[in-house]
Protein backbone atom coordinates (compact mmCIF):
# COMPACT_ATOMS: atom_id res chain seq x y z
CA UNK A 1 0.00 0.00 0.00
CA UNK A 2 1.02 3.58 -0.56
CA UNK A 3 1.98 5.93 2.25
CA UNK A 4 3.09 9.53 2.39
CA UNK A 5 5.47 10.87 5.01
CA UNK A 6 5.88 14.52 5.85
CA UNK A 7 8.08 16.08 8.48
CA UNK A 8 8.47 17.81 10.81
CA UNK A 9 4.98 17.98 12.30
CA UNK A 10 5.54 21.41 13.84
CA UNK A 11 8.19 24.04 13.31
CA UNK A 12 8.86 27.43 14.86
CA UNK A 13 11.28 29.59 12.92
CA UNK A 14 12.44 33.21 13.24
CA UNK A 15 11.82 35.70 10.44
CA UNK A 16 14.65 35.62 7.93
CA UNK A 17 15.69 32.04 8.66
CA UNK A 18 15.77 29.30 5.97
CA UNK A 19 13.18 26.55 5.60
CA UNK A 20 13.26 22.98 4.36
CA UNK A 21 10.23 20.69 4.53
CA UNK A 22 10.46 17.19 3.18
CA UNK A 23 7.86 14.80 1.83
CA UNK A 24 8.33 11.23 0.64
CA UNK A 25 5.92 8.73 -0.86
CA UNK A 26 6.23 4.96 -0.59
CA UNK A 27 4.60 2.17 -2.55
CA UNK A 28 4.22 3.91 -5.91
CA UNK A 29 6.38 5.20 -8.73
CA UNK A 30 6.33 8.47 -10.65
CA UNK A 31 3.53 10.01 -8.60
CA UNK A 32 2.26 13.55 -9.14
CA UNK A 33 3.28 15.51 -6.04
CA UNK A 34 1.89 18.72 -4.59
CA UNK A 35 2.60 21.32 -1.91
CA UNK A 36 -0.33 23.23 -0.43
CA UNK A 37 -0.56 25.90 2.25
CA UNK A 38 -3.57 26.49 4.47
CA UNK A 39 -3.54 29.76 6.35
CA UNK A 40 -5.79 30.19 9.39
CA UNK A 41 -9.42 30.47 8.30
CA UNK A 42 -8.59 30.11 4.63
CA UNK A 43 -8.81 27.38 2.03
CA UNK A 44 -6.09 25.16 0.67
CA UNK A 45 -3.81 27.06 -1.68
CA UNK A 46 -1.77 25.10 -4.21
CA UNK A 47 1.85 26.26 -4.12
CA UNK A 48 3.74 23.82 -6.35
CA UNK A 49 3.16 20.60 -8.20
CA UNK A 50 5.46 18.15 -9.93
CA UNK A 51 4.76 15.49 -12.54
CA UNK A 52 8.29 14.05 -12.52
CA UNK A 53 11.87 14.36 -11.28
CA UNK A 54 13.16 17.90 -11.73
CA UNK A 55 9.80 19.13 -13.06
CA UNK A 56 8.28 21.84 -10.86
CA UNK A 57 5.33 24.11 -11.63
CA UNK A 58 4.68 27.12 -9.44
CA UNK A 59 1.16 28.34 -8.89
CA UNK A 60 1.77 31.35 -6.66
CA UNK A 61 4.76 33.70 -6.87
CA UNK A 62 6.39 34.03 -3.47
CA UNK A 63 9.64 33.50 -1.62
CA UNK A 64 9.18 29.73 -1.54
CA UNK A 65 10.66 27.17 -3.92
CA UNK A 66 10.27 23.44 -4.45
CA UNK A 67 12.51 20.69 -5.72
CA UNK A 68 12.10 17.04 -6.64
CA UNK A 69 15.53 15.45 -6.47
CA UNK A 70 14.18 11.89 -6.51
CA UNK A 71 11.07 10.23 -7.91
CA UNK A 72 9.28 10.01 -4.57
CA UNK A 73 10.79 12.98 -2.75
CA UNK A 74 9.43 16.52 -2.78
CA UNK A 75 11.04 19.39 -0.87
CA UNK A 76 9.70 22.84 -0.04
CA UNK A 77 12.30 25.50 0.73
CA UNK A 78 12.80 29.13 1.51
CA UNK A 79 15.99 31.14 1.88
CA UNK A 80 14.41 33.76 4.15
CA UNK A 81 11.09 33.24 5.87
CA UNK A 82 8.52 36.01 6.20
CA UNK A 83 5.85 36.35 8.87
CA UNK A 84 3.25 35.71 6.16
CA UNK A 85 4.75 32.26 5.52
CA UNK A 86 3.14 30.96 8.71
CA UNK A 87 0.53 28.30 8.06
CA UNK A 88 -0.22 24.62 7.70
CA UNK A 89 1.80 23.05 4.87
CA UNK A 90 0.51 19.90 3.27
CA UNK A 91 2.16 17.55 0.82
CA UNK A 92 -0.06 15.38 -1.38
CA UNK A 93 0.21 12.76 -4.08
CA UNK A 94 -2.22 11.50 -6.69
CA UNK A 95 -3.24 7.86 -6.93
CA UNK A 96 -6.01 6.78 -9.33
CA UNK A 97 -7.13 10.42 -9.72
CA UNK A 98 -7.47 10.90 -5.95
CA UNK A 99 -5.20 13.22 -3.98
CA UNK A 100 -3.98 11.89 -0.65
CA UNK A 101 -2.43 14.19 1.92
CA UNK A 102 0.43 13.85 4.32
CA UNK A 103 -0.05 14.72 7.98
CA UNK A 104 1.10 18.30 7.43
CA UNK A 105 3.63 20.66 8.99
CA UNK A 106 2.43 23.55 11.12
CA UNK A 107 4.90 26.39 10.60
CA UNK A 108 4.99 29.41 12.87
CA UNK A 109 7.26 32.25 11.81
CA UNK A 110 8.00 34.63 14.69
CA UNK B 1 -10.51 30.60 -13.74
CA UNK B 2 -11.94 28.52 -10.97
CA UNK B 3 -14.44 29.52 -8.29
CA UNK B 4 -15.80 27.24 -5.58
CA UNK B 5 -18.49 28.37 -3.13
CA UNK B 6 -19.72 26.59 -0.02
CA UNK B 7 -21.25 27.81 3.25
CA UNK B 8 -18.77 28.86 5.91
CA UNK B 9 -20.43 27.18 8.88
CA UNK B 10 -23.32 24.83 9.66
CA UNK B 11 -24.71 23.34 12.85
CA UNK B 12 -26.72 20.13 13.12
CA UNK B 13 -27.98 17.82 15.84
CA UNK B 14 -26.59 14.40 16.64
CA UNK B 15 -28.59 11.71 14.81
CA UNK B 16 -29.93 14.13 12.21
CA UNK B 17 -29.20 14.52 8.50
CA UNK B 18 -27.25 17.48 7.08
CA UNK B 19 -26.62 18.56 3.51
CA UNK B 20 -23.58 20.66 2.62
CA UNK B 21 -23.86 22.41 -0.72
CA UNK B 22 -21.12 23.40 -3.13
CA UNK B 23 -21.35 25.40 -6.34
CA UNK B 24 -18.51 25.70 -8.77
CA UNK B 25 -17.53 27.66 -11.85
CA UNK B 26 -14.50 26.13 -13.48
CA UNK B 27 -12.93 25.67 -16.86
CA UNK B 28 -12.30 22.13 -18.01
CA UNK B 29 -14.28 20.52 -15.19
CA UNK B 30 -13.81 16.77 -14.86
CA UNK B 31 -14.95 15.83 -11.39
CA UNK B 32 -15.81 16.94 -7.87
CA UNK B 33 -14.15 15.80 -4.65
CA UNK B 34 -15.21 16.02 -1.02
CA UNK B 35 -12.70 15.88 1.82
CA UNK B 36 -13.13 15.87 5.59
CA UNK B 37 -10.69 17.82 7.74
CA UNK B 38 -10.72 17.65 11.53
CA UNK B 39 -9.21 20.61 13.34
CA UNK B 40 -5.42 20.55 13.22
CA UNK B 41 -5.30 17.54 10.90
CA UNK B 42 -4.84 16.89 7.20
CA UNK B 43 -7.81 16.45 4.86
CA UNK B 44 -8.98 12.89 4.25
CA UNK B 45 -10.72 11.76 1.07
CA UNK B 46 -14.48 11.14 1.27
CA UNK B 47 -15.88 10.96 -2.25
CA UNK B 48 -15.30 11.63 -5.94
CA UNK B 49 -18.09 12.30 -8.46
CA UNK B 50 -17.42 12.35 -12.18
CA UNK B 51 -20.88 11.64 -13.57
CA UNK B 52 -24.21 13.22 -12.61
CA UNK B 53 -26.04 11.49 -9.81
CA UNK B 54 -25.69 10.22 -6.30
CA UNK B 55 -22.78 8.19 -4.92
CA UNK B 56 -23.45 6.50 -1.59
CA UNK B 57 -20.84 5.32 0.89
CA UNK B 58 -22.30 4.27 4.19
CA UNK B 59 -23.53 7.30 6.10
CA UNK B 60 -22.06 9.69 3.52
CA UNK B 61 -23.47 10.39 0.05
CA UNK B 62 -22.38 12.88 -2.59
CA UNK B 63 -24.38 14.27 -5.49
CA UNK B 64 -23.25 16.02 -8.66
CA UNK B 65 -25.08 17.99 -11.34
CA UNK B 66 -22.60 19.05 -14.01
CA UNK B 67 -25.16 21.12 -15.93
CA UNK B 68 -25.93 23.17 -12.81
CA UNK B 69 -22.37 23.35 -11.48
CA UNK B 70 -23.64 21.99 -8.19
CA UNK B 71 -22.76 19.28 -5.71
CA UNK B 72 -23.76 18.36 -2.20
CA UNK B 73 -22.49 16.11 0.54
CA UNK B 74 -25.17 14.38 2.61
CA UNK B 75 -24.32 13.10 6.06
CA UNK B 76 -26.84 10.82 7.75
CA UNK B 77 -27.16 9.69 11.37
CA UNK B 78 -24.80 12.41 12.48
CA UNK B 79 -22.28 11.57 15.16
CA UNK B 80 -20.27 13.93 17.33
CA UNK B 81 -17.11 12.79 15.54
CA UNK B 82 -18.51 14.22 12.29
CA UNK B 83 -17.75 17.70 13.61
CA UNK B 84 -15.12 18.87 11.12
CA UNK B 85 -14.59 21.03 8.07
CA UNK B 86 -15.79 19.63 4.77
CA UNK B 87 -13.89 20.72 1.67
CA UNK B 88 -15.30 20.74 -1.82
CA UNK B 89 -12.73 20.57 -4.65
CA UNK B 90 -13.05 20.67 -8.43
CA UNK B 91 -10.75 18.67 -10.66
CA UNK B 92 -9.75 20.28 -13.92
CA UNK B 93 -8.75 17.05 -15.62
CA UNK B 94 -5.39 18.38 -16.74
CA UNK B 95 -2.48 15.94 -16.73
CA UNK B 96 -1.25 17.35 -13.45
CA UNK B 97 -4.54 16.40 -11.73
CA UNK B 98 -4.85 19.83 -10.12
CA UNK B 99 -7.63 20.45 -7.64
CA UNK B 100 -9.17 23.79 -6.76
CA UNK B 101 -10.50 23.81 -3.22
CA UNK B 102 -13.32 25.77 -1.67
CA UNK B 103 -12.70 27.39 1.72
CA UNK B 104 -14.53 24.60 3.50
CA UNK B 105 -17.70 24.30 5.58
CA UNK B 106 -17.18 23.97 9.31
CA UNK B 107 -19.83 21.56 10.63
CA UNK B 108 -20.62 21.50 14.33
CA UNK B 109 -22.63 18.54 15.59
CA UNK B 110 -24.42 19.28 18.86
CA UNK B 111 -26.09 16.84 21.29
Amino acid sequence: SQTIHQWPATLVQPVGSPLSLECTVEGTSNPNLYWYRQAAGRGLQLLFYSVGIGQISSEVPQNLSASRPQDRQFILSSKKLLLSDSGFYLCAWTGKNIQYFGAGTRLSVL
Amino acid sequence: GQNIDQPTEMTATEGAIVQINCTYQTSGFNGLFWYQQHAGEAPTFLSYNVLDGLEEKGRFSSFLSRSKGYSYLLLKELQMKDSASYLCAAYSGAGSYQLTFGKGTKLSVIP
Side-chain angles (χ1 to χ4, degrees):
Chain A
S1 64
Q2 299 87 5
T3 56
I4 180 168
H5 302 280
Q6 190 181 341
W7 66 94
T10 59
L11 194 58
V12 180
Q13 292 284 105
V15 170
S17 64
L19 173 74
S20 181
L21 302 180
E22 189 165 341
C23 170
T24 60
V25 180
E26 294 179 359
T28 187
S29 59
N30 197 32
N32 286 353
L33 297 172
Y34 311 82
W35 279 110
Y36 288 89
R37 176 172 60 203
Q38 189 174 39
R42 300 183 64 181
L44 281 166
Q45 179 186 36
L46 179 64
L47 302 175
F48 301 94
Y49 69 89
S50 172
V51 298
I53 295 174
Q55 300 179 61
I56 308 295
S57 296
S58 173
E59 289 298 299
V60 183
Q62 58 216 319
N63 70 320
L64 298 172
S65 62
S67 62
R68 186 167 176 175
Q70 299 179 42
D71 181 42
R72 289 170 287 176
Q73 183 185 30
F74 204 22
I75 298 172
L76 182 69
S77 305
S78 174
K79 292 182 180 177
K80 287 186 178 181
L81 284 169
L82 306 173
L83 286 174
S84 58
D85 291 324
S86 294
F88 191 38
Y89 287 82
L90 291 154
C91 179
W93 72 283
T94 299
K96 296 183 181 178
N97 294 342
I98 297 170
Q99 280 194 21
Y100 298 97
F101 290 86
T105 296
R106 192 160 301 281
L107 172 65
S108 297
V109 182
L110 306 177
Chain B
Q2 319 270 39
N3 188 43
I4 314 287
D5 286 315
Q6 52 182 130
T8 304
E9 294 183 35
M10 297 182 71
T11 301
T13 306
E14 191 176 14
I17 299 173
V18 71
Q19 178 175 311
I20 302 174
N21 296 323
C22 171
T23 57
Y24 62 89
Q25 293 175 311
T26 64
S27 54
F29 175 81
N30 271 290
L32 197 292
F33 288 82
W34 284 95
Y35 285 81
Q36 179 190 60
Q37 186 178 23
H38 284 101
E41 298 181 8
T44 55
F45 168 74
L46 287 178
S47 67
Y48 175 38
N49 292 67
V50 178
L51 302 175
D52 285 0
L54 189 68
E55 295 273 349
E56 296 187 74
K57 265 190 195 180
R59 295 190 298 115
F60 292 9
S61 303
S62 57
F63 172 83
L64 176 66
S65 169
R66 295 176 69 123
S67 61
K68 295 182 179 178
Y70 167 70
S71 173
Y72 67 73
L73 181 69
L74 193 71
L75 292 76
K76 304 175 185 175
E77 302 169 14
L78 279 173
Q79 302 175 9
M80 299 300 289
K81 66 179 182 179
D82 296 330
S83 292
S85 287
Y86 291 86
L87 313 179
C88 171
Y91 164 46
S92 69
S96 61
Y97 296 100
Q98 290 187 63
L99 294 181
T100 301
F101 283 85
K103 293 183 179 180
T105 299
K106 184 178 179 182
L107 174 67
S108 298
V109 180
I110 57 176

